[in-house]
Amino acid sequence: MSTIPAGNPLPSSRTEPDGSVVVRVLSYNIRSLRDDTTALARVIAACEPDLVLLQEAPRFFRWRKKLARLAAASGQVVLSGGATASGPALLCSLRATVERTEDVLLPLTPGLHRRGFATAVVRFGEADGPRVGVLSCHLSLQKDERQKQGALLLDSLAALDTPHAIAGGDLNERPSGRTFKRLAAALQDGWAVAPWGGEHTSTPGDPHQRIDALFATAGVEILGCGVPLDQPGVSETDLRAATDHLPVLAALRIPSGR
């Protein structure tokens, strides 16, 4: 486990001489934009992400326009998801080259909310730069359904058929939970590998549990991961006003695709 000393900045996005890339990835439950969207956009922009994995993106009236406005206000573009993935969505910076996207709807359990994944395959750097699979999720509140969704998450990530992959979202479960443990056994748990910033993501007014996480496949080097409390431009006031979760920000080094 590596640890960035308190107060030290998270590594910035860049392309290394050997063709590997450092990318910043942000995962954020935005509660359907029901809170202070200006504060939310400021937080996202200050994190300077290359990829943004959203949960509870707008799903109803004019949801595409609302998501596009958030993307524009935070310096991003819409990649995939939203209502078509039943909530999860992906944004990206212009640094990413999009190869393909797919919204995946999960089996519906009667009486429970429909869930889904927003997925994409992107490249960074040169034309032969690293290919990366990306998946945003918001797992069920119900334990048995959540366990099934965790297995489907791993299947969907493998189906992207990329050398490296990143997954993240609101797991609705702490690290001691069965589904969280299964994901952490198959993938690298960003906070566990390279803690930076804060640990707990819920709630902004009383952070006491980690139910949001970013994961990466083996081969991706996690340089730092956590709630961006030490990120320049991110204020506690904005974090409290933006939504009912705290975001998770990670810096990842992805090997060259050459």
Side-chain angles (χ1 to χ4, degrees):
M1 181 177 77
S2 62
T3 304
I4 299 175
N8 282 26
L10 198 68
S12 298
S13 302
R14 60 183 183 270
T15 300
E16 305 284 18
D18 65 357
S20 64
V21 296
V22 175
V23 298
R24 283 189 171 202
V25 183
L26 184 73
S27 181
Y28 212 169
N29 183 319
I30 61 172
R31 209 165 80 110
S32 300
L33 299 180
R34 287 184 286 174
D35 301 288
D36 187 336
T37 55
T38 302
L40 176 65
R42 279 197 298 264
V43 171
I44 295 174
C47 290
E48 300 180 337
D50 300 293
L51 295 166
V52 182
L53 284 57
L54 298 177
Q55 301 84 49
E56 292 194 41
R59 294 185 295 120
F60 301 110
F61 184 66
R62 293 183 175 175
W63 66 269
R64 287 185 175 86
K65 180 175 288 186
K66 294 174 183 176
L67 192 57
R69 285 176 175 169
L70 174 65
S74 56
Q76 303 287 308
V77 296
V78 177
L79 182 52
S80 68
T84 49
S86 199
L90 297 172
L91 310 180
C92 67
S93 72
L94 295 179
R95 187 173 179 232
T97 299
V98 183
E99 184 176 300
R100 69 178 189 270
T101 66
E102 181 180 5
D103 298 328
V104 180
L105 288 176
L106 301 181
L108 175 63
T109 300
L112 296 180
H113 172 63
R114 187 71 178 261
R115 304 280 176 171
F117 303 143
T119 74
V121 175
V122 299
R123 286 184 181 270
F124 290 98
E126 303 297 331
D128 61 348
R131 294 175 65 246
V132 185
V134 189
L135 183 151
S136 176
C137 71
H138 187 186
L139 302 187
S140 177
L141 287 164
Q142 203 277 332
K143 180 177 67 173
D144 292 338
E145 185 182 46
R146 185 166 62 245
Q147 291 174 7
K148 294 176 183 176
Q149 291 170 353
L152 291 171
L153 186 158
L154 295 174
D155 290 345
S156 295
L157 211 59
L160 294 175
D161 193 26
T162 55
H164 309 288
I166 302 162
D170 179 353
L171 305 186
N172 273 317
E173 184 174 275
R174 299 179 182 185
S176 59
R178 182 175 175 181
T179 302
F180 201 123
K181 284 183 175 179
R182 180 171 186 175
L183 296 178
L187 306 166
Q188 299 183 83
D189 173 7
W191 169 263
V193 172
W196 167 86
E199 176 181 6
H200 298 139
T201 62
S202 177
T203 57
D206 177 27
H208 64 281
Q209 59 181 349
R210 182 163 75 100
I211 60 173
D212 305 83
L214 279 167
F215 299 93
T217 51
V220 174
E221 182 183 0
I222 300 173
L223 304 176
C225 179
V227 177
L229 303 177
D230 299 324
Q231 175 65 21
V234 175
S235 70
E236 182 179 352
T237 299
D238 279 349
L239 289 173
R240 285 173 174 260
T243 178
D244 64 345
H245 282 242
L246 293 171
V248 181
L249 177 64
L252 311 173
R253 179 179 285 112
I254 302 171
S256 170
R258 298 171 188 168

